[in-house]
Amino acid sequence: MDWFSFLVGNVLSYLAIVVFFVGVPLQVYRWMKIPVVYPLTDFPAPRTAEGAFIKVLLDAFLFRPILLKIYNSIVYTGKWTDLWLGGWIFHVSFALIVIGHIVGIGTLGHQFTILGVSPETSLHMSELLGTISGVFLSLSLIYLLLRRFFNPIVRVMSDGIDYLVVLLILGISCMGNFMRFNSTYGVEYDVAQKWIIGLFTLHPVPLPDNPIFTWHLFLVEILLIYFPFSKLMHSCGIFFARWMITNYDPRKVMVFDWRSKVCEWKGGK
Amino acid sequence: MNFDRNVEKGRFPQRWWEDERLKTVQTMDKGEKHLVPFLAPKIYPLEPLDKPFDETELESRFVSAFARVLAQHRQLKVYMESCVKCGACVNACHTYQGTGELRNIPVMRADLLRRYYKKYFTTQGAILGPIVGAERVTFEGLKEMYYYFYQCSQCRRCSYYCPMGIDTAEITRYGREILVQCGFVSQFHWSVLTSMWKTGNHMVITKPGLMDTVEFLEEELKEETGVDIKIPVDDWDAELLYNPSSADFFAYPDTMMGVAKVMHAAGIRWTISSDIIETGNFGLFLHENTMRMLNKRLIDQTFKMKNCREVVLGECAHGWRTWKMMTKTINGEWVDKRFHYIHLVHKLIELIDNGIIKVDPSRYEGMRVTLHDSCNNARAGGLIEEPRYVLSKILPEGSFVEMTPNREMNWCCGGGAGILWDDPESINLRIKLSKNKAEQYKSVNPDIAVVICSIGKAHNTFIVHDGYKKELDHVKIKGLVDLVGDAIVDFPFPAGKYAKS
């Protein structure tokens, strides 16, 4: 067990878990303790909180604002559908991958047995789904990266970090795909499960001797550590921002007392 | 407020905020003073300004103002941290499409403030610096920010395009507020703000001037209708307080006269208050304390009125937004219990639906009428279908035409957020800003364009009579209540007033 494997497997992993699972709620708490002193609604708005909730979910998960604004594309930044397709495929496959890692490692790939199939079939289904999502993830990321670089307008508005984050996730997904397609470097479910159980029971198990896996894990930990400090917080911010411009209850507002600097909910029920 | 702009460098007092020559505006917050040490003479093109203080002090002032604003407005902090630079807002902005300057793309404009946010308020900015686009506050940077923030008309159209729902108007509002703290504010905006503090309206109309204007308007009404129609001022027994836009007394008297006709026909005892004849509220654009003050000023008037249960807000879009969305927050929820405030359009619907005023659609036979949805009415105030309903009642079948896009996706005319500079240098910029609106007008080719917004009337008048005179000079810009007032059947109007010449 060389030093890098030890660092990734038993030191940085703890740091990443702590930073991610403490940092993200802390950032959200920092937003929540600041008052929203007046409604910022974009009309026409849903009349009820339930309607607003549904609309926020639809907007957030279907990327409707991009999808519906296809007209007026006077300035060419790629067709809007292209941005929508690239972004949406990336996010969906990323979500599938994350869920797949948790469920697959948790159940050793037998998650589909609840559908009534045999464990072998479940394993195959799991592999198939993971492979498809991984390939789509890499392709959509490459597309988004190229779009960011070759589209003059999007290139102007990008900072260095925007490329770096995409490259980071691209590196993670490409290594994952490599391990999937190359049986020499493949990692079985039970090995990963053992390592994670060791991690959480504070009896760390050394990582398998697999440089690709180690680097894959290292980049994931970098991503987790960077997550709360970056624009990746848009995953939480989107719900805040969309809720602010969707919800409108004229009877219930937050009243900000400018003298005592105290903000409280007034009116309504 | 006349500030000596030509103070020589180095002669400027170090603690200028304590200098008596520089008058300060005492706001409602105790001890908090908003200072304008110097004013930009023109907003476009931007002239070099005198440096009021060195960059260290500028930086500390900027950061403290920024921190204060961040601590009170959640949206700003969320917007600062959530942008992913996807480029969806490029086609949303009429300013960018008119001027073609990259900094006018909403995300690039917001980045002018976001770079400082990253530098002073985030970990990544402090560590990684330029890689994440963080920059220190410099005088040049603030000048750039000033220049582009005052080209945003805060129409909020970009918030409909953004997948995150980021509203660049909020960013520019608070950016301007921070700039005010650092002494960057345009002469026009600040003169309007100070005249609000002094007289309660934009036009510095004092009570004698108001009475004179009202007398003149009453004579006009007598000539036009043959009936004695009064415009009551400070009648504290009235049951309805009307809050006009002060431009209605000079630039668009038709609107004021239209209101007088409607109220006379409906038999309502109404009044205007000489202390505040302004629905609009420039504080919304760059100065929250002024917004609060002006709002409170109108509320105070209602305490003099025992019978008043209704305050009707005139044709001013950002004023309506302020009243509808922000009054409770900035002046307490008890406002709603004291009286209720409605828009003039709501009042018109009430009067027409109940048959209190009778209108005759045949007066507009053969006219093409279109409606320009003012940004703050449609997008931020929810007045989308109401004006269309009123127009359907007063116009004959088929004379109303819609622009494309319309309703909440309507293009801004380019005059919002007080970007209504009357200096000759900015004419080319104004023409650029209104390019999209002018193309809409050209494609519809109306005879009358209805604009329910004082600034919108001014700017659309500029579009059709100055900027794009060749194609659009025949278009008349009207308020909604002008049309309603002229369609009332009770008065013997001269026939064919609206016939095509």
Side-chain angles (χ1 to χ4, degrees), chain A residues 61-99:
Chain A
F61 288 114
L62 293 181
F63 296 8
R64 274 202 316 185
I66 313 180
L67 187 63
L68 300 180
K69 308 291 182 292
I70 302 173
Y71 49 82
N72 275 321
S73 296
I74 298 165
V75 183
Y76 186 74
T77 53
K79 282 205 178 71
W80 292 119
T81 43
D82 296 358
L83 170 62
W84 181 83
L85 214 61
W88 198 73
I89 287 176
F90 158 65
H91 280 87
V92 166
S93 45
F94 193 81
L96 280 177
I97 296 254
V98 170
I99 294 167

Side-chain angles (χ1 to χ4, degrees), chain B residues 166-187:
Chain B
I166 293 175
D167 180 4
T168 311
E170 292 299 309
I171 296 175
T172 53
R173 276 180 61 198
Y174 296 116
R176 287 179 185 191
E177 174 129 7
I178 297 162
L179 287 176
V180 167
Q181 310 281 318
C182 298
F184 288 78
V185 62
S186 81
Q187 178 87 55

Side-chain angles (χ1 to χ4, degrees), chain B residues 121-162:
Chain B
F121 298 95
T122 64
T123 320
Q124 58 163 354
I127 296 170
L128 298 171
I131 300 174
V132 297
E135 279 181 41
R136 289 186 75 88
V137 170
T138 60
F139 194 76
E140 291 303 313
L142 286 196
K143 270 207 315 203
E144 191 187 13
M145 186 173 146
Y146 168 83
Y147 178 66
Y148 287 109
F149 272 28
Y150 276 90
Q151 284 184 50
C152 169
S153 65
Q154 299 178 354
C155 70
R156 307 184 81 211
R157 200 167 183 270
C158 40
S159 68
Y160 287 75
Y161 279 73
C162 178

Side-chain angles (χ1 to χ4, degrees), chain A residues 6-68:
Chain A
F6 174 76
L7 180 80
V8 171
N10 302 341
V11 180
L12 267 185
S13 46
Y14 284 113
L15 184 68
I17 287 169
V18 170
V19 168
F20 181 78
F21 286 102
V22 175
V24 172
L26 266 181
Q27 293 281 44
V28 173
Y29 171 74
R30 275 174 56 239
W31 294 339
M32 284 173 74
K33 73 177 181 188
I34 304 173
V36 186
V37 288
Y38 45 79
L40 285 161
T41 320
D42 275 349
F43 289 92
R47 293 184 180 276
T48 59
E50 294 81 15
F53 186 72
I54 289 164
K55 187 169 185 289
V56 166
L57 289 186
L58 284 175
D59 283 346
F61 288 114
L62 293 181
F63 296 8
R64 274 202 316 185
I66 313 180
L67 187 63
L68 300 180

Side-chain angles (χ1 to χ4, degrees), chain A residues 251 255 266-268, chain B residues 299 302-303 308-310 327-328 331-341:
Chain A
R251 291 158 309 157
V255 175
K266 294 270 179 69
Chain B
I299 293 166
T302 57
F303 282 105
C308 175
R309 289 289 172 270
E310 215 168 46
T327 307
K328 285 186 193 172
N331 282 318
E333 40 136 12
W334 50 267
V335 170
D336 233 12
K337 298 186 171 64
R338 177 75 187 84
F339 60 88
H340 65 282
Y341 42 90

Side-chain angles (χ1 to χ4, degrees), chain A residues 5 187 191-192 195 205-211 213-214:
Chain A
S5 177
V187 177
V191 178
W195 176 73
V205 180
L207 282 180
D209 188 13
N210 181 340
F213 179 67
T214 311

